[in-house]
Amino acid sequence: MANNQLNDKVAVITGGASGIGRACARRFAAEGARVVLGDINMDAAIDAAAQIESTGGTAHAVRLDAASPTENVAMIQAALDKYGRVDAVVAAAGLSHAGYVSGERHARATEGLLHQSPEDWQRVMDVNLTGVMLVNQAAAQAMIEGGTPGTIVNIASVAAKVPLRGAVDYCVSKAGVWMLTKAFALEMTDYGIRVNAIGPGFIETPMTARAGAHAEGAARMLGMTPMGRLGVTDEIANTALFLSTDQSSYTTGQILFPAGGMFTG
Ligand SMILES: NC(=O)c1ccc[n+]([C@@H]2O[C@H](COP(=O)([O-])OP(=O)(O)OC[C@H]3O[C@@H](n4cnc5c(N)ncnc54)[C@H](O)[C@@H]3O)[C@@H](O)[C@H]2O)c1
C-alpha cells in the first residue's frame, strides 16, 4: 500500500521504538521518507530502525528522553546532520502513568489522584505534555531555519476529551496536548507549518496489553468502543500519514479520533 507519498522527505518520530510510533515510522518509511526514531529504549529503537532498513527503507535511531530539552534539540540536530532537513514530525512518545515502562507487563499503575505523589504527576506531564511541546518547538525551529515548512502530528488520545477513571494525570496531559496543538498551529500558520493531533481510542500496543489481559479491563475498553474491537497501530499510522501529506493541505489545528466510533463530544 505504498505510493511514495513522502519521497525525499525526512520524518522524525518520537516513541518510534514501539506501538503507534513504530507503526508510523514503518509506514512513513514505506512511503519513501527517511526516518529518525527517537526513543528512551535505545535497543528497541535500533531494532525498529533495522527492521525498516531490512525492507529497503532508511532509518536512524536516536536516544531520546522526551522530557529533556537538550535531547529533543539533539535529536532534531541528528536528523539535520544525517539527512539534511526535517519535513515531518510525529510525537508519539508517551506514558500511561509514571511507572509505565513500554512492554513491561507489571508496570506500577496509578491508584488515582487522591493518592498520587506530586513526583508521579509531574513525570506524566513532563513526558506526555512538555515532551510534545519540546519536539514541536525544536522541529519547527529547524523547519523555519531550513526553509522546509512541514507538518507536525501530536499523538494525544480520546482521553483529551473523555475522562478515564484512575488516569487523571494522563487525561490532563492529553487535554494539554490537544490545546498545545491548537494554539501552536495558530502561531505556525505564519510559517506554513501545519500542526494537528490524533486522539486514538484503545489500540493494541504494549500500553493496553496489561489492561487487556484482564477480563474486567478488556470489557471496559470494548464497552467504550462501539465498533467492538481495539484498533491496530496501522490504523493510527494511516491517520498520521494523511495529516503529514498534502492530502490534508487545508487542515491545521485539528484533532482526528480514530477511536472505533467512541463519542468524544
Ligand atoms: N495504545 C493506546 O490505546 C493509545 C491510545 C491513545 C493514545 N495513545 C498514545 O500513543 C502514544 C504511543 O503509545 P503506544 O500505545 O504506542 O505505547 P508503547 O508503549 O507501545 O509506545 C510508547 C513508546 O514511547 C517510548 N517512551 C516512553 N517514555 C519515553 C520518554 N520519556 N522518552 C522517549 N520515549 C519514551 C517507549 O519506550 C515506547 O517506545 C502515547 O503517547 C500514548 O499515550 C495510545
Side-chain angles (χ1 to χ4, degrees):
M1 213 171 50
N3 295 305
N4 299 322
Q5 293 185 70
L6 295 174
N7 260 358
D8 303 323
K9 303 289 187 192
V10 175
V12 176
I13 320 274
T14 76
S18 177
I20 289 170
R22 189 169 179 137
C24 289
R26 200 171 52 227
R27 185 79 175 93
F28 281 34
E31 292 290 341
R34 289 162 289 169
V35 176
V36 172
L37 300 86
D39 205 285
I40 203 160
N41 184 341
M42 196 54 185
D43 288 345
I46 288 170
D47 180 68
Q51 197 177 50
I52 288 170
E53 298 233 318
S54 75
T55 56
T58 304
H60 177 61
V62 175
R63 140 93 207 181
L64 169 77
D65 181 347
S68 161
T70 53
E71 290 188 25
N72 274 285
V73 169
M75 174 183 62
I76 295 299
Q77 189 58 48
L80 295 173
D81 292 346
K82 188 105 179 133
Y83 302 129
R85 53 192 286 158
V86 174
D87 300 283
V89 169
V90 178
L95 305 170
S96 54
H97 55 277
Y100 179 74
V101 178
S102 180
E104 197 173 280
R105 292 204 65 77
H106 299 292
R108 179 170 46 95
T110 175
E111 291 169 0
L113 186 67
L114 200 55
H115 305 290
Q116 184 166 48
S117 71
E119 293 75 21
D120 280 3
W121 169 274
Q122 194 58 49
R123 181 63 183 161
V124 173
M125 296 306 144
D126 286 350
V127 175
N128 284 8
L129 176 54
T130 305
V132 174
M133 178 277 288
L134 290 169
V135 71
N136 280 220
Q137 185 183 50
Q141 285 168 354
M143 289 174 184
I144 292 164
E145 281 164 26
T148 58
T151 58
I152 297 173
V153 176
N154 296 325
I155 306 299
S157 166
V158 287
K161 291 277 202 78
V162 179
L164 300 176
R165 188 178 284 274
V168 179
D169 47 0
Y170 184 79
C171 294
V172 170
S173 72
K174 294 300 187 178
V177 168
W178 173 210
M179 181 50 82
L180 166 73
T181 301
K182 286 187 276 193
F184 194 48
L186 197 57
E187 293 185 356
M188 289 301 98
T189 57
D190 294 350
Y191 300 95
I193 296 170
R194 294 188 298 109
V195 188
N196 289 291
I198 298 176
F202 296 110
I203 311 301
E204 284 177 16
T205 74
M207 194 174 278
T208 51
R210 203 169 60 98
H214 302 290
E216 193 189 327
R220 183 176 166 220
M221 290 192 285
L222 291 179
M224 291 176 68
T225 309
M227 283 175 74
R229 67 169 176 86
L230 267 57
V232 295
T233 55
D234 281 347
E235 292 175 303
I236 309 307
N238 286 333
T239 309
L241 180 64
F242 167 71
L243 291 173
S244 304
T245 68
D246 284 346
Q247 299 287 325
S248 60
S249 52
Y250 199 47
T251 303
T252 196
Q254 304 299 313
I255 187 167
L256 293 179
F257 288 108
M262 199 186 300
F263 180 67
T264 52

